[in-house]
């Protein structure tokens, strides 16, 4: 069997970011500037790294960003007041509150407070509901990135059997909804699934989002299947820290038809879709504004490539 084709998330994200950059420039030329507010609470080192990359990407594509750093002992009421102020600030198009949050803060309350049209993470119940109903929505960035890579690799996904391993609100559940809208037959596997490996072996597409290092080996994969690895796990090998996915890459890449590496697969797509969602949010808000002129409306209209949010 030939080794699997590598799905290059860095190259795909670079292409996506080019399109986003062009959109931002067109919006600016029509008098609409695009702004993302990023809120970081506490000192989690990984969150600081993620936020730095998001701010860097935003500046590369011309999106203005406003950063709010709050101490780890911030009260929930203080954070909710900040979000409400950002909701009412017409200059802010997108709001991202970096997770995880300190334990005194209820993540659900935070997500519910963000205005749905500024929810660039796609976590708000209005966007979740819209996604499930097949209505235009801001969709979560990681699963949107996975769908993009799958369509980039396979073209039309209609009729394919997709198995999603993991049922988190951030990845597993929205991934299943996106695949269903792309006309796949979808199976979700989780910790209570019976015969998970056998079910997975029937899949044309496998999306692994369990958060357990190298859990899925070649015995789970049908020869020729397309495998998307969402996991980012740090493990120690010979005293050195290595990043690995939920897929056991060595064995699976000998069986699969195509596979994403870790790093360099899904990760770059997540930030790419955050930027794309920020542009979509800005377009949506401008379209609603009474002052939008016909020529501006043409620019603001979603493009064919914005298919996920357009599909109904
Ligand atoms: N923490 C880890 N991933 C994410 C994400 O996609 N969005 C937010 N807001 N926080 C995260």
């Amino acid at each position: 069997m030939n080794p699997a084709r590598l799905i290059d998330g860095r190259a795909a994200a670079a292409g996506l970011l080019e399109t986003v950059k062009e959109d931002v420039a067109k919006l600016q030329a029509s008098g609409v500037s695009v702004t993302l507010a990023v809120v970081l609470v506490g000192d989690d080192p990984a969150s600081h790294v993620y936020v730095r990359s998001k701010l860097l990407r935003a500046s590369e594509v011309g999106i203005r960003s406003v950063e709010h750093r709050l101490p780890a002992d911030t009260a929930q009421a203080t954070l909710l007041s900040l979000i409400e102020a950002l909701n009412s600030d017409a200059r802010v198009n997108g709001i991202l509150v970096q997770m995880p949050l300190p334990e005194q803060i209820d993540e659900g309350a935070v997500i519910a407070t963000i205005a749905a049209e500024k929810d660039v993470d796609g976590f708000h119940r209005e966007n979740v509901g819209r996604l499930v109903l097949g209505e235009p929505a801001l969709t979560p960035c990681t699963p949107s990135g996975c769908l993009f890579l799958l369509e980039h690799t396979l073209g039309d996904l209609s009729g394919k059997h997709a198995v999603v391993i993991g049922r988190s609100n951030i990845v597993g559940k929205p991934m299943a909804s996106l695949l269903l809208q792309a006309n796949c037959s979808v199976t979700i596997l989780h910790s209570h699934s019976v015969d998970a490996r056998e079910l997975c072996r029937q899949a044309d597409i496998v999306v692994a989002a369990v958060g357990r290092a190298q859990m899925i080996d070649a015995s789970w994969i049908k020869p020729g299947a397309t495998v998307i690895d969402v996991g980012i796990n740090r493990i120690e090998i010979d005293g050195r820290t290595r990043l690995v996915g939920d897929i056991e890459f060595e064995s699976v890449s000998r069986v699969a038809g195509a596979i994403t590496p870790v790093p360099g697969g899904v990760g770059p797509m997540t930030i790419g879709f955050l930027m794309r969602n920020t542009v979509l949010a800005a377009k949506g808000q401008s379209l609603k504004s009474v002052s939008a002129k016909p020529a501006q409306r043409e620019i603001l209209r979603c493009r064919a490539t914005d298919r996920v949010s357009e599909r109904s």
Side-chain angles (χ1 to χ4, degrees), residues 17 69 86 89 140 168 170 175 201 219 247 252 276 278 309:
L17 287 169
R69 286 184 186 224
L86 295 170
D89 185 341
S168 70
I170 292 180
M175 186 75 250
R201 263 186 81 81
S219 68
I247 300 286
V252 172
R276 175 187 173 280
T278 306
S309 69

Side-chain angles (χ1 to χ4, degrees), residues 24 28 33-38 54-55 57-67 86 89-94 275 278:
V24 172
Q28 263 163 0
S33 80
V34 184
T35 300
L36 172 66
V38 178
K54 290 171 184 176
L55 296 172
R57 269 321 149 260
S59 89
E60 283 170 3
V61 296
I63 293 177
R64 192 174 80 90
S65 53
V66 191
E67 194 185 354
L86 295 170
D89 185 341
R91 292 164 303 180
V92 171
N93 306 109
M275 300 305 133
T278 306

Side-chain angles (χ1 to χ4, degrees), residues 39 100 170 226 230 244 292-294:
V39 182
I170 292 180
T226 301
V230 178
V244 296
K293 300 182 183 71

Side-chain angles (χ1 to χ4, degrees), residues 39 44 47 50 54 95-100 111 114 120-121 123 140-142 170 270 274:
V39 182
D44 180 59
S47 290
Y50 288 136
K54 290 171 184 176
I95 302 170
L96 178 134
V97 179
Q98 185 66 27
M99 312 285 179
I111 292 167
I114 298 172
V120 285
D121 267 321
F123 295 164
C141 302
T142 300
I170 292 180
T270 298
L274 174 65

